Amino acid sequence: MIALAKATDWVDAWLGRLCRGIVVLTMLALLAVIGANVVARYLFESGGINEVGEIPELLFPWLIAAGIVLGVQRSAHIAVDFYSGKLGPRGKVAAIVFVNLVVFATYALLIGPVVEIAGITADEHTPLLRLPRSIGFYSLLFGMAGTMWASLAIAVRVVAHGAEAAPEFDPEESVT
């Protein structure tokens, strides 16, 4: 089980680096595109670059999906933990594993319909750039798959090492 936990940790770390890269690249691209459009509004009589409006529509879902996966990995998503103080060590492990497997199974059930919708929207294109509208649904698939993997990795890690191996969110990182 420990070897499996090490393997899942390696993939989970790789997924985290990928998500952080997506967040950085999409933020830079969004800043560049929106900034260029602001400048273009002052330089051109046409009032900016029309095509620019479609780019945030296509990139923003990727930013959100990658951020959600990072949140799951760090336990920075919404969680209810009022029960954890009332459970013993085995109970905590069972609860953490159960919750993460429910998350995994729920997303596994939803992948089929999202793949179907992505296939349908692949034939639709944005009006100016002619890019497929399915790009947003593929970001949803990425987020779902990443959340599934992160949940599975947490469950494996907790089974191998105990409840202490579950990620703990640092409240100092909160924006509230």
Side-chain angles (χ1 to χ4, degrees):
M1 182 52 93
I2 292 179
L4 179 61
K6 284 184 180 182
T8 56
D9 285 346
W10 183 86
V11 174
D12 202 42
W14 177 86
L15 178 63
R17 286 190 297 276
L18 175 63
C19 288
R20 284 188 297 280
I22 289 171
V23 167
V24 168
L25 291 176
T26 55
M27 287 296 291
L28 290 174
L30 288 169
L31 285 170
V33 167
I34 293 170
N37 199 30
V38 168
V39 171
R41 285 185 184 154
Y42 290 103
L43 295 178
F44 303 128
E45 289 181 25
S46 64
I49 307 166
N50 292 334
E51 292 83 355
V52 168
E54 294 178 356
I55 295 173
E57 175 186 333
L58 298 171
L59 290 181
F60 193 69
W62 286 93
L63 173 69
I64 298 301
I68 288 171
V69 173
L70 289 171
V72 172
Q73 286 182 325
R74 299 175 70 199
S75 192
H77 58 301
I78 295 173
V80 179
D81 61 356
F82 65 89
Y83 63 85
S84 64
K86 300 183 184 338
L87 299 174
R90 284 183 152 170
K92 284 182 185 178
V93 167
I96 293 168
V97 170
F98 175 74
V99 167
N100 281 286
L101 292 180
V102 167
V103 169
F104 181 90
T106 302
Y107 280 110
L109 289 172
L110 294 172
I111 280 185
V114 174
V115 168
E116 187 177 334
I117 293 169
I120 292 168
T121 59
D123 293 335
E124 300 172 13
H125 294 83
T126 60
L128 298 171
L129 295 175
R130 305 295 304 151
L131 294 171
R133 294 243 182 234
S134 57
I135 291 173
F137 287 99
Y138 289 121
S139 70
L140 181 60
L141 284 172
F142 173 79
M144 291 170 67
T147 298
M148 288 172 63
W149 180 264
S151 297
L152 185 63
I154 291 168
V156 168
R157 193 176 305 124
V158 167
V159 167
H161 302 293
E164 312 79 45
E168 290 282 331
F169 178 66
D170 183 3
E172 292 206 11
E173 294 181 9
S174 177
V175 294
T176 59

